[in-house]
Every structure is written in C-alpha cells, then in structure tokens.
Amino acid sequence: MSSGFSTRAIHVGQDPDPITGAVVTPISLSTTFAQDGVGNHKGFEYSRSGNPTRAAMETQIASLEQARYGMAFASGLAAEDNILRLLTPPHCGGKRVLLGNDAYGGTFRLISKVWSPMGFPWTAVDLTDLDKLRDDWPDDTGMIWLETPTNPLLTCFDIEGIAAIAHERGAIVVVDNTFATPYLQQPITLGADIVVHSATKYLGGHSDVVGGFVATSNDDLAERIAFTQNAAGAVPAPFDCYLVLRGVKTLAVRMDRHCQNARAVVGLLVDHGAVERVLYPQLPDHPGHAAAAKQMSDFGGMVSFQVAAGRDAAMRVADATSVFTLAESLGAVESLIEHPGAMTHMSAAGSPLEVPDNLVRLSVGIEDAADLVDDLAAALDTI
Ligand SMILES: *Cc1c(COP(=O)(O)O)cnc(C)c1O
C-alpha cells in the first residue's frame, strides 16, 4: 500500500480477519498451528518461529520505517543483542563496533559488559565531527551504532553523512530510532542498514508493554536476524505484540502532540533563571540542530535541561513535580521526569558516556500543555 503514514499505521498487516470479519487483529495465543499434511501449513507452525499477531505488527512497523523486513523482540535490548550477533561469522566476524559516545546506557552496557568480554572489540566515537570520524576510523570496524536524537543529551547526528563514511569502509550502519520514531525520521531512507527500536517507548506509547523491533531492507541481514530471532528465541508474547500494534495506530497524532507540548515546555525553560542550559534539537544552538532540521520532520517530545545550582538542585526539581511523574522510561502519554545520572544512565558513570550530574530529562506527554508548564515552573521555584 503506498498511502500516507497514518493510513499505513492503521491498515498495513491488519486486514479484517478472513474467517470472522473481526476488524481488530485477534490476539493469537495458540502456540502451534494445525497442518493439512506434513509440512503443509498456512504460514505458521510454532509460535516462536512465527505468530499471526506478531506478523501483523512486524508488517505494520516495517511499512512505517519504509523497510522490507521487520522482526519483533521481547525488548529493545533483546533486539539489540540480535543485531550484535551479526558480529559473529560469517557477517562482520570478529570486527569492531563503533558506538556513538552519547547513547542509551543499556546499549553501552550490552556492548561493553556482555559482548566485549566475549572478545568483540568496541570503541566509543564522537559522531559530531565527520572529518575526525573519517580520520580516526579503525580499520577493523564492522558496525557503527548510533542514536539520533540521543538519550539523554538529544544530540543529533547526520545519518546520511555517517552512512556514507561507513559504507565507503564496508561497515554496516545501525540507527536506534527510538526517540524520533518512524513518524519523525526514517533512517533506512537516509542510508542506514538496520533500524532498531525500543517499542517500549513511543511505539507502544502507553507505558504498558516492553518490546523491541528491528527493521531492514537488506535481504542478507534480514535473513540472519530472522534466523537468530527464532534460534535464540527472544520473541515477544502475542499480547505484547497486540499492545504495540494498537499503540502504533495512534503514533502520528501522539507525536504531533508530544512535539507541540515539548515546545511549550522549552519555552518556559529557556527563559528560566534556574536553568543553565536547555537541550532540545529545535534550538538553533543545540549540537546537531542542523542534522535534526535536515532529517527529522519535527523535533520530538524529549527535553533535557541542566540546573544552574547543580546536582542536588536537579534532583530536587525531579522530586518536586506532580503532573510529571518521577520515573524511568519515556515516550508514553503521561509526562515523566528523571535524573539520568542517578537513574537511567548510572551504568555509564566513569565511562566516556557519562552524563552531566545536573541534568534533568523530561519525557513530555500529551496532557494539556498549560498544566505541564505550570507544574515545572512550580518545581523550579522550590530550589
Ligand atoms: C529504552 C531504550 C532502549 C532499550 O529498550 P528496552 O525496551 O528497555 O529493552 C534502547 N534504546 C533507547 C534509545 C532506549 O530509550
């Protein structure tokens, strides 16, 4: 179907049930599927290998990423782990992973604490300076991994520019598109080989499901990831697939509201005396503003800021809100606030991915903008 984003979100992979006419994709709990004769089945044999609810969701999200293939996983990190398995032969066998030095703490932990001890080398790299990236490129690199915008600093990197350098040198490009979502940015159209998501965040969108997703248009990579999806078995349950499928139907309208509310919050923070610095890709002085303006259709619902009075004051702000809930995670309808240094990014302390200790991260939800602004203003007044 070559229709618009929301039409695809609501219809692709989701034809009414051919037997009952059910308009909503059924949650298929059956673990096994009857065969008409040995090896003669309707496309499903055993639910780890393939499940109808999962297939609907995989088709839906792949379409939104403009990718030919989609594979769902039990979590974002399970999806990442399956991508890293490409580092084993015969693909990028034994090769190095370059990780953008501003990334989700769990990605850093998976690469540095799980894969690296098994003998897979990795290097943290600065992706803002493409000349430096080209000059310092390690010869044994097999994969470059980046997030844009990053978690939690919201730095944006030029996907097209980085992909061109990586492809010249025979490396594959993985983009974590969790923050932007396919509504705001489609990395495969910009040259990425693989897109990965924590579906737990904006795709699910309601803080009620943990999930991961991989999209690619490369036949060879898709075959290999689909193989490990089944062989290693980190698949999501049918109910989880249903929740993500349902969440994605409203992705476009939610993202429009997230972006609009984020702008209202940024408006408060940029003029506030207690705030040292606001990190939001739309701000002209933000690192990567140019990349964001080029490759994103809007700037997203995540906002970070540094509190002038330092770490303890930043923690007090995070404690003092009432509409914003103090919690990890992001990307859902309700607004959340957190202190990355002590919460989501504690595992990156002392590493090249450490975050400033006066940083506060907001996941701006879809409540009324005025309530969010008033809540934050009141919290900032307490310090
Ligand atoms: C949350 C997150 C992940 C990990 O996903 P889980 O679903 O928690 O396993 C990966 N990348 C980013 C950017 C995230 O925010």
Side-chain angles (χ1 to χ4, degrees):
M1 203 190 293
S2 64
S3 34
F5 186 93
S6 288
T7 307
R8 282 181 284 138
I10 293 166
H11 293 290
V12 170
Q14 305 161 73
D15 289 339
D17 186 73
I19 296 167
T20 63
V23 166
V24 173
T25 307
I27 303 171
S28 291
L29 293 175
S30 191
T31 54
T32 187
F33 299 85
Q35 308 200 359
D36 292 335
V38 176
N40 181 12
H41 54 77
K42 299 182 174 67
F44 299 100
E45 296 163 85
Y46 180 63
S47 205
R48 167 165 37 73
S49 321
N51 169 279
T53 316
R54 191 175 99 206
M57 182 262 259
E58 289 175 332
T59 309
Q60 174 202 41
I61 302 176
S63 159
L64 300 182
E65 285 290 358
Q66 305 206 42
R68 295 194 11 234
Y69 307 99
M71 275 79 61
F73 291 90
S75 68
L77 284 173
E80 296 191 10
D81 188 65
N82 275 257
I83 295 169
L84 290 165
R85 286 164 197 266
L86 295 168
L87 295 168
T88 58
H91 286 266
C92 317
K95 296 254 183 83
R96 181 175 300 273
V97 189
L98 300 188
L99 174 64
N101 66 357
D102 181 2
Y104 176 64
T107 304
F108 161 73
R109 185 177 56 201
L110 178 63
I111 291 174
S112 67
K113 304 256 166 55
V114 177
W115 280 84
S116 172
M118 293 193 288
F120 297 90
W122 74 286
T123 307
V125 287
D126 176 3
L127 299 172
T128 48
D129 182 346
L130 295 192
D131 289 332
K132 191 165 179 307
L133 180 68
R134 202 178 275 112
D135 292 346
D136 296 350
W137 188 270
D139 287 339
D140 60 347
T141 301
M143 181 184 287
I144 181 160
W145 191 295
L146 61 132
E147 270 172 54
T148 178
T150 61
N151 179 0
L153 299 178
L154 306 171
T155 313
C156 298
F157 304 117
D158 176 356
I159 298 173
E160 224 166 0
I162 294 167
I165 296 170
H167 290 158
E168 261 166 34
R169 290 157 169 79
I172 61 174
V173 180
V174 180
V175 175
D176 184 331
N177 205 28
T178 299
F179 273 36
T181 83
Y183 182 61
L184 302 181
Q185 163 178 290
Q186 289 124 34
I188 288 176
T189 66
L190 299 165
D193 299 292
I194 295 175
V195 167
V196 62
H197 276 281
S198 169
T200 316
K201 315 296 167 53
Y202 288 104
L203 296 182
H206 296 74
S207 298
D208 55 8
V209 58
V210 170
F213 197 79
V214 176
T216 181
S217 285
N218 179 309
D219 296 335
D220 200 33
L221 297 176
E223 191 186 323
R224 178 64 187 243
I225 295 166
F227 175 80
T228 61
Q229 180 195 34
N230 178 48
V235 293
F239 185 61
D240 294 356
C241 295
Y242 167 78
L243 287 173
V244 174
L245 181 77
R246 170 164 144 148
V248 169
K249 289 177 201 254
T250 56
L251 183 62
V253 288
R254 284 189 285 111
M255 289 313 293
D256 282 340
R257 180 69 168 256
H258 282 297
C259 294
Q260 192 186 320
N261 282 358
R263 256 185 289 283
V265 163
V266 167
L268 165 79
L269 295 172
V270 289
D271 289 332
H272 202 289
V275 175
E276 178 184 296
R277 185 169 175 221
V278 183
L279 300 160
Y280 188 64
Q282 188 168 12
L283 297 172
D285 65 345
H286 185 74
H289 167 73
K294 185 174 110 177
Q295 69 200 12
M296 295 175 75
S297 59
D298 203 343
F299 300 95
M302 299 298 297
V303 177
S304 294
F305 62 97
Q306 290 173 263
V307 175
R311 179 175 195 267
D312 291 348
M315 288 190 166
R316 282 204 301 279
V317 174
D319 278 344
T321 54
S322 56
V323 183
F324 281 85
T325 302
L326 176 63
E328 301 199 356
S329 198
L330 61 105
V333 291
E334 69 282 338
S335 292
L336 302 177
I337 188 166
E338 67 124 358
H339 183 273
M343 294 172 66
T344 49
H345 289 66
M346 204 159 68
S347 64
S351 82
L353 283 83
E354 183 167 351
V355 297
D357 67 1
N358 63 344
L359 191 74
V360 174
R361 188 189 77 180
L362 304 174
S363 173
V364 181
I366 65 171
E367 301 95 334
D368 293 283
D371 293 333
L372 299 179
V373 169
D374 289 352
D375 186 39
L376 263 185
L380 286 165
D381 281 348
T382 65
I383 59 171

